[in-house]
Amino acid sequence: MAYTSSAQTLPLHIIEGIASYIPKTRSARLPVVNGEDSSVKQKTLLPLMAVCKQWRFVIGSLFYKSALLSYDSKKLWVHKHESLIKLEDVIATNSQHHLKKVQVYISPEDFKTTNNSTSLLREFLKKVGPLERVREVTLFFAPHNSIYRFQRNNEAEDVIDMGLFSATLDDYANLFHQLLPNKKIVNVYKTQQQYRSSGKFADIVKRMSDFIPQLVSSQMCHFFSMGIDLTKPFVDNLKGASLKRISIAKHKGTQQHIELIRRNAQTLEVLHIKNATTHALVKMTYRGAKQGTLAYPRLRELYITSCSGYRSMKHNQPTCDPFPVLRVLDCQGNFPFATPIVLDHGRNHLSVLRIDADRHLLEILGNSDVLEDGSFKYLNVISLGWRHRVAFPRDDHANQIFVKAINMAPFASTVENCGLHVSDFEQSVLPKINFSDHLRTLNLEGTVLTMKDTVKLLSKFKRLDNASISLKEEPTDNNTRMPTVESLQEYQRELKSYSPSNVGVLNIRHAHYKNSRRAAEFLVLMTSIMTSIRKIVVGRKNISRPDSIVRRVSFVLRRPIYKTDDHVNSVEYQAEDYTCF
């Protein structure tokens, strides 16, 4: 073979390596599914696919990994997502053997006539037969978008024959299962209704909603739903499924969501649930007065987001450990269990614990030794601070949480103490902390400390490498001007004994200073005291003008006190990238 370019001489594994560095683009307006963005590399891989036949052969498995199945007669949705390659194009190039994921867009307009919606499926089955290698299917379900266009254009209600409409849906579901027989992961995303439908239009919306269970296979093992109201027929349709992973988001908290989880208690390994109540979550572990606690013998990860409601002993609490092999417990909002049993038994198997501790929970756990120093010897990550609340804990309550989060897990490598309004830090908090040599990452986002308190805290952890901090002015310093050389030197002399540290990267999450110049002054001052700092990243999430702070660092470095300091001048400063949050 005569080589026409040097690119053709590259080994195959080098080509694969080049392709792996190509950035992803969002493939659809879909949520984060099971912790991962719905992303593809197809649009950005096109230049590499055009190099030569050898490159197309190697990169084909990436390029054709995901495809879109959609009739969408008006092509509105497909036009918005040009990064997606259509399933008909994959089949036309005889590349369907690469497919692992299929995304399906469904709207009522596709089912006005039988030929519109089913012709593509019949054509695919005739050409290539079932797509047996496809394991993951994402249904983007938009029943309201087309109805809105019908009503806006004053189309007659008889534009859709309901009998034919229902028959078409049934026919589509049958062909859908024939085309994708081995789907193990099913993600269902439904758009929210922004208006009210009436008459036959309301019937269309209801029939489309009832259509969802027909596309979900009882053979799947992973199920994600967002915006879907699980009905009893829906759950009954999944009676034969042995689900290992369930993710439920943006639902109305119906009993059927809990019933679906309970039915898969013996096989469930990962559970994500959003917008649940404490009563519903406790009910998830209760089988009745005679049978007692419902255990989940295989559940390894439990994620609860936005848990609301009051925990109460009136709710049937578990009498034994419902999660005997749980490794990750992450609960944002009110912790649902009103007894220490879950955390008490969790000391023997939990490696990640993130809960929002409140005063009532501390009182419950205070009657046991669950939160005593060194009680969680296997924890690698611990968080007790409040992450997504407005009324953050204050004073003694916050001080207690701050200390316990560090002391209760002596071998943890990551501690997160977020959103705590601590007071009298140097006298009431710092002396009570047992400083560990195992801690590598400390996150204090929202827990605002002065620069002095921050330096004194960070310098005590001898192996701490990465810290996220929130800074504020000293209580006695109300000056809006830049600090004098004498005051800077006074800071350096006072804190010099705390300077030995290992912190290399400092992430600034809050900077409560009078102006950007003062913020820059104190950041540079910290680097002159803590000589281990290599890099400072100023966050965008809570700081309105991070770039302004970074720009003013160059002016601070011109001051005579820093001109001859090689370390201070070698530190890298940057504003956080927009994609970081």
Side-chain angles (χ1 to χ4, degrees), residues 432-452:
K432 299 178 182 179
I433 296 177
N434 298 329
F435 294 96
S436 169
D437 291 339
H438 298 274
L439 191 64
R440 304 298 298 272
T441 303
L442 179 64
N443 185 0
L444 302 179
E445 181 174 348
T447 301
V448 186
L449 302 176
T450 65
M451 190 206 68
K452 287 183 180 180

Side-chain angles (χ1 to χ4, degrees), residues 233-473:
F234 196 134
V235 175
D236 290 341
N237 188 53
L238 299 176
K239 186 177 294 185
S242 297
L243 298 178
K244 295 182 179 180
R245 181 189 293 264
I246 296 177
S247 299
I248 301 174
K250 291 187 178 180
H251 61 91
K252 294 183 178 179
T254 63
Q255 171 63 27
Q256 297 305 320
H257 291 84
I258 301 301
E259 182 61 27
L260 177 64
I261 295 171
R262 288 163 57 94
R263 286 188 180 184
N264 293 275
Q266 300 304 310
T267 58
L268 200 58
E269 296 178 3
V270 179
L271 173 61
H272 295 247
I273 185 166
K274 186 175 181 179
N275 300 119
T277 64
T278 55
H279 178 61
L281 291 170
V282 170
K283 196 171 183 179
M284 187 180 77
T285 63
Y286 184 68
R287 292 190 295 182
K290 294 183 178 180
Q291 295 177 307
T293 301
L294 174 61
Y296 292 74
R298 296 185 180 182
L299 188 64
R300 296 179 287 102
E301 300 177 21
L302 174 59
Y303 302 92
I304 305 168
T305 306
S306 302
C307 182
S308 60
Y310 295 100
R311 67 182 71 87
S312 173
M313 288 299 297
K314 294 181 180 180
H315 299 159
N316 295 292
Q317 300 292 325
T319 56
C320 61
D321 189 5
F323 314 117
V325 297
L326 194 65
R327 295 290 182 268
V328 178
L329 174 56
D330 190 328
C331 179
Q332 296 180 14
N334 292 335
F335 190 70
F337 302 103
T339 65
I341 285 180
V342 173
L343 293 179
D344 188 18
H345 288 277
R347 293 187 292 181
N348 299 319
H349 48 74
L350 283 175
S351 59
V352 177
L353 176 63
R354 290 189 176 99
I355 59 176
D356 293 353
D358 53 63
R359 189 182 299 277
H360 183 225
L361 180 61
L362 290 181
E363 291 174 356
I364 293 173
L365 301 177
N367 298 324
S368 65
D369 60 348
V370 174
L371 299 184
E372 293 299 317
D373 293 357
S375 56
F376 284 80
K377 292 183 171 58
Y378 303 104
L379 272 185
N380 187 46
V381 178
I382 170 70
S383 172
L384 296 183
W386 287 19
R387 292 165 286 176
H388 298 285
R389 298 194 184 185
V390 177
F392 296 126
R394 296 175 178 274
D395 302 331
D396 293 340
H397 178 205
N399 292 358
Q400 186 182 5
I401 293 176
F402 193 102
V403 174
K404 285 187 177 296
I406 297 176
N407 292 354
M408 63 186 281
F411 301 106
S413 63
T414 300
V415 171
E416 300 169 359
N417 268 333
C418 302
L420 299 176
H421 289 271
V422 295
S423 60
D424 193 18
F425 185 82
E426 186 173 1
Q427 300 298 326
S428 302
V429 177
L430 205 57
K432 299 178 182 179
I433 296 177
N434 298 329
F435 294 96
S436 169
D437 291 339
H438 298 274
L439 191 64
R440 304 298 298 272
T441 303
L442 179 64
N443 185 0
L444 302 179
E445 181 174 348
T447 301
V448 186
L449 302 176
T450 65
M451 190 206 68
K452 287 183 180 180
D453 290 339
T454 302
V455 171
K456 293 175 182 178
L457 174 68
L458 300 184
S459 62
K460 294 290 186 179
F461 296 103
K462 300 306 178 185
R463 298 186 62 191
L464 185 64
D465 178 65
N466 191 303
S468 298
I469 62 174
S470 301
L471 295 173
K472 65 179 179 180
E473 296 269 14

Side-chain angles (χ1 to χ4, degrees), residues 539-555:
R540 293 185 182 274
K541 184 177 180 181
N542 302 298
I543 300 176
S544 59
R545 299 172 63 190
D547 299 283
S548 177
I549 296 177
V550 173
R551 286 196 300 268
R552 278 156 177 77
V553 167
S554 60
F555 295 100

